[in-house]
Amino acid sequence: MKRLIIANWKMAPQTSREALRLAQGIARGVKGVKNVEVVLTPPFIYLLLLKLGLPRLTRVKAGAQDVFWEKNGAYTGEISTNQLKASGVRLVIVGHSERRALWETNEIVNKKLKAVLGAGMRAVLCVGEAEKQKEVAFPKIIRDELHEGLARIKKSLFRNLIIAYEPIWAVGTGRADTPKNVYEITTIIRRELYRMVGKRIASKIPVLYGGSVDEKNAHAFVKDGAVDGLLVGGASLNAKKFINIVKAVSEV
Ligand code: PEP
């Protein structure tokens, strides 16, 4: 399976000029890298810019950090799967812990996953426990996120599903998890997916790790953590660091 690295730019950078420069710098830097798919997820406002500004033949693609579940209608401030598709987007992150911290429940995540997968796009479902849930509610919290998030979704749509294991305490903190821990938890996740949809479909679902990934730890997460790729936040805003992460993973 080709490794997948997704850059989550969150609410940065502040100007379109910087966004374009960053995207082009990354596209140039990863040009010759094989076996790794790179997807940049900028704020919505830069999506078209990336579509127009990245050379057609670049391997770097654009994805979205979020979406609304209705296809059209009077929903002020929201963005639909139709609009994303028209802007060249084929991958959407759903249920990021920073959105869950604002107001997103498993029920909302489920509506969004249905919309994205139903529209034939790839969905990255983020799951992970908070620090205080580590002892008490783990791994139930992750099982609930999987089962409730993916409830009543046709098995055939799971072919476009990606799971990102992102322990909340590791996201944006500089305190990455260990590859050993990531291996153990993603094994639980894979086992749960087997139970839900059977081995044939589940074995094709990429499972990623995210949480303070940098140039130094990226290789180990993929090699020893045995994940299929990475979701990178902070370090993806620095072209040099992000290119090094992609290169490190291509060498695993
Ligand atoms: C993220 O935004 O999903 C993330 C993992 O952020 P960071 O790499 O900064 O921890």
Side-chain angles (χ1 to χ4, degrees):
M1 199 189 286
K2 203 171 182 179
R3 266 45 189 259
L4 172 63
I5 303 191
I6 303 172
N8 176 17
W9 287 359
K10 311 193 191 217
M11 204 170 69
Q14 297 306 304
T15 66
S16 48
R17 181 189 285 237
E18 288 170 274
L20 189 58
R21 195 185 308 138
L22 179 58
Q24 288 176 332
I26 291 171
R28 265 195 305 275
V30 302
K31 212 169 165 194
V33 178
K34 297 208 173 68
N35 302 325
V36 183
E37 179 184 3
V38 177
V39 181
L40 309 179
T41 69
F44 290 129
I45 197 163
Y46 304 137
L47 277 172
L48 269 181
L49 188 76
L50 260 61
K51 187 182 176 199
L52 301 173
L54 288 176
R56 194 181 282 254
L57 290 176
T58 177
R59 290 156 175 259
V60 174
K61 297 175 193 128
Q65 297 172 20
D66 187 30
V67 70
F68 190 57
W69 57 83
E70 294 292 345
K71 278 204 173 82
N72 50 50
Y75 299 103
T76 303
E78 300 292 355
I79 306 271
S80 72
T81 51
N82 282 346
Q83 290 167 323
L84 290 180
K85 275 168 101 174
S87 306
V89 168
R90 296 289 176 271
L91 176 148
V92 185
I93 297 173
V94 179
H96 191 279
S97 58
E98 286 157 10
R99 298 208 55 82
R100 290 182 190 261
L102 290 176
W103 67 292
E104 282 192 11
T105 58
N106 283 337
E107 202 181 324
I108 290 170
V109 169
N110 179 244
K111 287 186 189 186
K112 293 186 175 186
L113 285 172
K114 276 185 191 154
V116 174
L117 294 171
M121 303 163 91
R122 289 193 289 172
V124 184
L125 166 59
C126 298
V127 298
E129 78 287 2
E131 183 94 75
K132 56 181 183 297
Q133 294 165 330
K134 248 200 298 192
E135 312 300 329
V136 209
F138 183 80
K140 185 183 177 306
I141 186 88
I142 291 177
R143 289 209 178 100
D144 288 350
E145 284 174 338
L146 288 174
H147 284 276
E148 291 173 28
L150 294 163
R152 296 171 301 278
I153 292 181
K154 273 199 244 149
K155 279 189 190 176
S156 61
L157 296 181
F158 279 58
R159 69 176 187 284
N160 275 335
L161 178 70
I162 296 158
I163 305 290
Y165 170 56
E166 295 212 302
I168 298 170
W169 48 271
V171 175
T173 58
R175 279 173 55 211
D177 205 340
T178 60
K180 183 172 173 289
N181 213 30
V182 167
Y183 177 77
E184 280 167 18
I185 292 155
T186 52
T187 302
I188 295 175
I189 291 173
R190 290 187 208 269
R191 208 176 296 143
E192 207 58 37
L193 292 169
Y194 285 178
R195 281 202 198 108
M196 290 167 77
V197 288
K199 196 165 180 172
R200 192 176 56 83
I201 298 177
S203 62
K204 297 203 180 94
I205 300 174
V207 180
L208 318 181
Y209 167 72
S212 298
V213 169
D214 61 25
E215 299 161 283
K216 293 193 193 96
N217 61 25
H219 187 275
F221 279 120
V222 176
K223 186 168 180 283
D224 306 326
V227 287
D228 303 304
L230 303 166
L231 178 47
V232 185
S236 71
L237 290 167
N238 179 307
K240 194 162 166 263
K241 284 187 187 165
F242 187 68
I243 292 162
N244 285 339
I245 290 171
V246 175
K247 286 184 175 164
V249 169
S250 78
E251 282 158 15
V252 177

